[in-house]
Amino acid sequence: MIKRHRIQFPKDELTNVNQDEAYFYLQGSGGDRKIRFHDYDEIYQIQGLYEQIFYDRLKCTSPTKVATILESAVKQSQDSFSELRVLDLGAGNGMVGEELKSHGVSRLVGIDIISEAYEATIRDRPGIYDAYYVEDFTKLGPERRNELIAWQFDCMVTVAALGFGDIPTKAFLEAFNLIKNGGWVAFNIKDTFFDISDESGFSTMIRKLIFAKHIDIYCIERYRHRLSIEGKPLFYFAIAGRKNSDFPV
């Protein structure tokens, strides 16, 4: 049985802060340990902590939502969902991969920038991925690029990894360009990053992907990603579509 952790959310200290500035206290015999929500390297090292915070306490629904809209989009075509060769960008500890497997995907490769994510996946969800790479897609070398091309990916999935300094636009587009033309792309992004006033670069990138016809959108849905520590809903967009052509990085 996975250990339950003692967690305290400092609600009075975090009124109206940015989502990536939120933190919690992990309580233990040595005192309280302050950990930011985006300190994934620390969180993944503690078995069950990520799931307890984001799924048990904050009711995250994004892996299920993105997998569902991807499956729905593919079913509108003649493609077989179960035969997709999926690149899971920002795979983390394998929760998205586990969800995709439950929907019938058989070929799955994970990518994350931190080794702690890989180690957590091997510890908690061994066998989910056919391969798992620890790689920075903004610095992808030719040897690793050729190795990834050899997988012949026809689908890319990215869940809760865009914005906030986790996966920059360049890394997303490098992965996007690894997918075959005619392949599938599914991802989610916070609604404020999708707004025209956004200054992170994601709003501009997504609009260029769509309006320059690099991708045909099959499904776009605004939904509740999870709760904030104050119990307020955080809204994201889930997007699924079919790739037409590479994006000039």
Side-chain angles (χ1 to χ4, degrees):
M1 180 180 293
I2 296 176
K3 175 185 175 182
R4 298 291 294 178
H5 304 283
R6 294 173 60 197
I7 298 166
Q8 180 183 2
F9 289 158
K11 295 183 180 181
D12 295 337
E13 302 172 27
L14 290 174
T15 304
N16 297 323
V17 300
N18 291 332
Q19 186 175 326
D20 60 333
E21 295 175 337
Y23 59 87
F24 64 95
Y25 292 107
L26 179 62
Q27 300 174 317
S29 57
D32 292 351
R33 177 180 169 188
K34 180 180 175 180
I35 304 176
R36 291 174 60 250
F37 276 18
H38 283 240
D39 289 338
Y40 297 121
D41 53 345
E42 293 188 55
I43 294 173
Y44 287 147
Q45 292 179 52
I46 304 170
Q47 188 175 24
L49 181 58
Y50 182 90
E51 291 87 339
Q52 187 175 332
I53 295 168
F54 294 105
Y55 291 85
D56 295 349
R57 292 284 295 272
L58 300 179
K59 310 301 181 185
C60 180
T61 63
S62 286
T64 300
K65 174 61 69 176
V66 175
T68 299
I69 70 163
L70 173 62
E71 185 175 22
S72 175
V74 174
K75 284 183 176 179
Q76 296 177 47
S77 73
Q78 300 298 315
D79 292 358
S80 169
F81 185 79
S82 64
E83 294 179 4
L84 292 178
R85 292 173 170 264
V86 181
L87 172 64
D88 181 3
L89 179 65
N93 65 349
M95 294 194 70
V96 175
E98 188 173 56
E99 184 68 30
L100 290 168
K101 284 282 188 178
S102 73
H103 281 253
V105 168
S106 58
R107 190 54 60 104
L108 188 59
V109 173
I111 300 277
D112 206 285
I113 196 171
I114 58 173
S115 59
E116 290 84 357
Y118 165 75
E119 291 160 4
T121 300
I122 296 302
R123 179 192 66 213
D124 301 338
R125 295 173 179 85
I128 287 291
Y129 296 97
D130 297 285
Y132 195 118
Y133 297 92
V134 177
E135 196 67 54
D136 182 349
F137 263 54
T138 65
K139 303 174 182 177
L140 196 62
E143 184 177 344
R144 182 51 54 86
R145 183 188 301 277
N146 290 334
E147 186 176 347
L148 291 169
I149 289 172
W151 282 98
Q152 299 182 323
F153 296 119
D154 54 11
C155 182
M156 179 182 77
V157 171
T158 303
V159 177
L162 301 181
F164 302 112
D166 296 332
I167 294 179
T169 55
K170 183 178 186 295
F172 178 87
L173 293 173
E174 289 283 359
F176 178 86
N177 288 347
L178 288 175
I179 307 306
K180 291 181 175 182
N181 291 344
W184 298 91
V185 178
F187 61 96
N188 71 338
I189 191 165
K190 186 172 171 57
D191 57 358
T192 54
F193 289 125
F194 199 66
D195 190 87
I196 197 168
S197 63
D198 165 61
E199 297 180 355
S200 71
F202 278 100
S203 177
T204 299
M205 179 197 74
I206 293 169
R207 282 169 168 75
K208 286 183 177 179
L209 280 172
I210 296 171
F211 296 130
K213 296 294 185 180
H214 296 291
I215 184 173
D216 287 333
I217 299 300
Y218 276 58
C219 180
I220 180 168
E221 181 180 341
R222 187 174 183 263
Y223 71 102
R224 194 205 74 191
H225 162 61
R226 64 169 174 84
L227 302 175
S228 70
I229 62 173
E230 297 92 357
K232 299 177 181 178
L234 299 176
F235 291 101
Y236 276 49
F237 281 99
I239 302 167
R242 194 160 202 165
K243 177 185 172 181
N244 291 320
S245 61
D246 286 355
F247 191 102
V249 177

